[in-house]
Amino acid sequence: MTSQVDVAEYLTYRPLRAPQGDRTSFLYPPPALIPTVVDRNIRDKSEAAASASLPFSEKWFRGARGEFVRAAMHWTSSYADARWAAQLGEQAASGCVPLLLAGHQTEMFHPGVWFKNAVLSAAARAVGGLGIHILIDGDSPKTTAVRVPTAVDGRHAVLSLFPDRSESGLPYEEQFVRDWECFQSFGDRVHEALAPLMPASMIRGYWTLVRRLAAENRHVPWSLAQARHLLEREWGWRTLEVPQSVVCDLPGFAAFAAFLWSRAEDFSGVHNRVLAEYRRIHRIRTDARPMPDLKRQDDWWEVPFWVWSTDAPKRRRLYIRRSGRCVRIYDGVSSLGCLREDDWDGAAAWWGELRRRGTKIRGRAIVTTMWARMVLGDWFIHGIGGAKYDQVTDAFMYEFCGFRPPAFGIASATVRLPVAAEVLSGPRADPCRLRRRGREMIFHPERFIVWDSLSNGERDRAEAWMAEKRRWVETPKTPNNAAKRHRAITQANRELGEFLSRERERLERELEEAENRARDAAILSSREFAFCLYPESYLREFFESQPLSPPS
């Protein structure tokens, strides 16, 4: 086991931030260096696996990788022509060509996330390898609503539209269509809301694909992902896809999970110690970031896996307890069984039987990326958020397994809606500055009086109140006169303010207009809108303009 000083190397602060400018991207390493990084990863991973404290042979690693590639081939072939990848897939499965990976939740993500898939396809071609995108369907979204900007009476707003009346809190894997009429109408509802801003979005064409796929599988997130993947195929991107749920049910993953469970107490200790060091370095005060600590309940040790059943599809935490050479598994409600330590074939058989009875076990983030980066692929592409939390994964892999982690890539982009440029262009008044001006009109009205607009009588009265205010301002404040002095100055300001009615009305109009423009800009400048709200040609042009491949 390594020291915390060694681990700190992986937790050092990296100032990662999403691109701020419209139609800009961030890619690390740059395209010219990607082949070098992939080659180094392949070489270093072989050495790291040989020296790591993992109870698996080189043959087992190749087998796990092969079953993963074949699962991706099978999944993609169920809705698209994947014959182009047949030979490449066998070569990647055997380790003859590089295997590149990325992953994200099965949702209508924004173009900045989609940029990872463009990089995955281009990078795989550049290194003569295969790219596979893992659909993370074990997560449970806070909401299934899609934020859609619209315009009502000249003002902009954001609506939350639901593609289906699904039960909240379910993992993506369990989100099947519940209200077919609501689901079918989603594309038209989004188009109607979006039309005042962008009548040429891709939502209707995309949703036609989604509905066709959902008519066969009735699964909402998988249909979303498959329709998006078919669009990528039309654009010339070449990747395979496979859900995390499929990956977690493969024998190799079951054996890997059983190995982690057999060392649950050590796993929990290293996990929490690495997180504590990360929080110290980054000055994070909450114990929920970047991920929660693993808890202990009596003699049961929490491990980073979710468990649920088809009958009760709400996620539960998984706990492990050692009893001699037996590893007991508990979901917080009931026992799931017992595995013999080091019996990896038995673990895979037990896992399969559990799955046939409707119980599902899925890895959480740190396990998913460990599995993908240590065992499956040769290079993993993260977004900004994933790159930050995977510093913890790097440190954990190094301390727990003695496995020096391979380098990962980072890809992100910012593409705002085309209509945003119209709202953001041109000079805009600052609402904060106008509010400060309004406050000054209350407490220093004499500075804003337009003397030429006053009659002689008004001028005399204004000057008299200014003299009265000046007298009290110049009077030293004492405990005896404080209240009287305050009332006198307030009264003088109020009387002087009577001469600013036109200026205040003009300021209120300016402030209202500035606040409306600022609100519109805040709404439309968001980079988080779903990709299907954009015109297809607009996004395709952006992706094709990016230098994703190394120069020839």
Side-chain angles (χ1 to χ4, degrees):
M1 185 172 293
T2 59
S3 69
Q4 291 189 47
V5 175
D6 296 327
V7 168
E9 168 192 346
Y10 296 104
L11 302 178
T12 304
Y13 179 73
R14 299 179 69 182
L16 298 174
R17 189 184 183 195
Q20 299 302 295
D22 187 22
R23 296 175 65 81
T24 58
S25 62
F26 173 80
L27 177 56
Y28 177 85
L33 296 181
I34 290 175
T36 302
V37 171
V38 173
D39 286 344
R40 186 173 66 238
N41 273 3
I42 293 172
R43 182 180 66 252
D44 293 349
K45 272 188 66 177
S46 178
E47 296 175 1
S51 61
S53 56
L54 296 170
F56 302 115
S57 65
E58 183 179 347
K59 180 181 179 181
W60 179 88
F61 273 89
R62 287 198 304 270
R65 176 169 165 141
E67 66 188 20
F68 167 73
V69 172
R70 285 185 282 275
M73 284 285 299
H74 179 75
W75 177 267
T76 305
S77 298
S78 69
Y79 61 90
D81 184 358
R83 287 175 293 181
W84 62 270
Q87 182 177 356
L88 198 59
E90 287 304 315
Q91 292 174 323
S94 62
C96 296
V97 300
L99 180 59
L100 277 54
L101 305 176
H104 202 79
Q105 288 82 3
T106 46
E107 60 190 11
M108 290 172 273
F109 41 62
H110 61 81
V113 170
W114 207 4
F115 182 66
K116 291 191 299 184
N117 293 25
V119 173
L120 178 65
S121 175
R125 281 182 171 176
V127 300
L130 178 66
I132 298 179
H133 178 250
I134 302 174
L135 306 171
I136 307 300
D137 57 356
D139 285 358
S140 180
K142 295 179 180 178
T143 179
T144 59
V146 176
R147 297 173 65 252
V148 181
T150 189
V152 180
D153 297 329
R155 294 268 58 85
H156 296 93
V158 176
L159 305 178
S160 293
L161 300 182
F162 290 82
D164 184 35
R165 305 187 193 281
S166 60
E167 183 180 350
S168 61
L170 296 182
Y172 289 103
E173 185 181 346
E174 303 298 335
Q175 292 179 16
F176 293 88
V177 178
R178 293 172 178 268
D179 185 332
W180 186 250
E181 184 177 348
C182 174
F183 184 79
Q184 281 198 310
S185 69
F186 179 73
D188 290 335
R189 287 184 282 126
V190 171
H191 174 80
E192 183 179 347
L194 194 59
L197 297 177
M198 284 194 315
S201 74
M202 72 169 79
I203 181 60
R204 277 182 160 165
Y206 170 69
W207 204 251
T208 298
L209 278 175
V210 173
R211 288 189 315 195
R212 176 170 63 80
L213 292 160
E216 300 175 9
N217 60 35
R218 309 296 287 192
H219 197 281
V220 179
W222 291 346
S223 300
L224 300 179
Q226 290 171 356
R228 184 257 312 146
H229 196 204
L230 289 173
L231 281 177
E232 294 177 10
R233 293 291 307 280
E234 291 180 9
W235 294 6
W237 302 2
R238 289 293 179 265
T239 60
L240 300 177
E241 299 204 342
V242 62
Q244 176 197 16
S245 53
V246 172
V247 177
C248 287
D249 283 336
L250 295 174
F253 185 80
F256 183 69
F259 158 66
L260 298 180
W261 297 348
S262 70
R263 297 178 57 188
E265 184 174 348
D266 289 342
F267 189 107
S268 179
V270 174
H271 179 278
N272 292 349
R273 189 162 59 250
V274 167
L275 282 176
E277 181 69 2
Y278 181 90
R279 292 172 189 140
R280 184 191 67 79
I281 292 173
H282 294 263
R283 299 180 180 180
I284 296 174
R285 297 181 181 274
T286 173
D287 61 2
R289 293 180 51 213
M291 59 191 77
D293 288 343
L294 296 175
K295 308 298 183 183
R296 179 182 179 182
Q297 291 188 5
D298 299 324
D299 293 332
W300 294 96
W301 297 88
E302 182 185 358
V303 286
F305 291 79
W306 295 117
V307 58
W308 69 84
S309 67
T310 51
D311 294 334
K314 293 293 182 72
R315 300 187 305 179
R316 300 185 298 278
R317 300 179 185 276
L318 200 67
Y319 299 88
I320 303 298
R321 186 176 70 186
R322 289 283 299 274
S323 178
R325 293 187 59 80
C326 178
V327 178
R328 298 190 178 278
I329 302 98
Y330 175 64
D331 66 359
V333 178
S334 58
S335 172
L336 297 180
C338 178
L339 298 176
R340 285 189 59 80
E341 186 180 16
D342 300 335
D343 182 7
W344 314 129
D345 292 336
W350 169 84
W351 194 293
E353 179 58 31
L354 206 66
R355 181 66 182 86
R356 283 188 288 275
R357 297 203 307 262
T359 298
K360 305 175 183 181
I361 300 177
R362 305 293 180 244
R364 280 147 67 176
I366 190 170
V367 172
T368 300
T369 50
M370 277 180 63
W371 176 244
R373 294 176 57 207
M374 286 177 58
V375 180
L376 301 180
D378 301 311
W379 190 56
F380 195 93
I381 305 171
H382 272 302
I384 298 294
K388 289 181 177 179
Y389 87 68
D390 231 22
Q391 289 181 277
V392 173
T393 311
D394 279 355
F396 182 86
M397 282 192 284
Y398 187 43
E399 183 168 357
F400 182 73
C401 301
F403 189 99
R404 185 169 290 276
F408 56 78
I410 309 171
S412 184
T414 291
V415 186
R416 298 188 173 91
L417 292 170
V419 71
E422 303 172 12
V423 176
L424 298 175
S425 63
R428 286 185 290 150
D430 181 5
C432 293
R433 183 183 63 80
L434 294 175
R435 292 190 198 99
R436 286 196 299 270
R437 184 178 177 86
R439 182 176 176 81
E440 289 175 1
M441 282 186 174
I442 295 173
F443 295 103
H444 303 285
E446 65 277 8
R447 299 177 184 176
F448 301 93
I449 294 176
V450 181
W451 294 96
D452 292 343
S453 67
L454 301 183
S455 65
N456 291 336
E458 289 173 331
R459 186 180 296 110
D460 291 342
R461 194 164 73 253
E463 289 175 346
W465 280 110
M466 284 177 62
E468 177 71 0
K469 177 180 177 178
R470 189 181 306 113
R471 181 173 72 85
W472 280 105
V473 169
E474 293 174 352
T475 299
K477 182 179 177 181
T478 67
N480 292 331
N481 73 1
K484 184 176 181 181
R485 180 177 180 274
H486 174 74
R487 286 194 298 270
I489 293 174
T490 301
Q491 178 65 20
N493 285 336
R494 188 180 300 115
E495 295 293 340
L496 290 169
E498 294 296 325
F499 299 103
L500 303 180
S501 58
R502 285 193 293 271
E503 285 73 16
R504 275 202 299 267
E505 289 175 1
R506 183 165 57 250
L507 178 66
E508 288 171 0
R509 289 194 298 271
E510 291 179 13
L511 179 58
E512 181 181 10
E513 181 180 351
E515 288 177 336
N516 286 336
R517 285 182 61 87
R519 185 167 55 251
D520 291 347
I523 290 172
L524 297 179
S525 64
S526 171
R527 63 189 292 272
E528 305 290 331
F529 289 120
F531 70 87
C532 53
L533 306 187
Y534 291 71
E536 181 176 352
S537 59
Y538 188 77
L539 286 184
R540 186 170 182 175
E541 178 188 352
F542 167 75
F543 289 127
E544 291 177 350
S545 71
Q546 300 303 298
L548 302 180
S549 301
S552 57

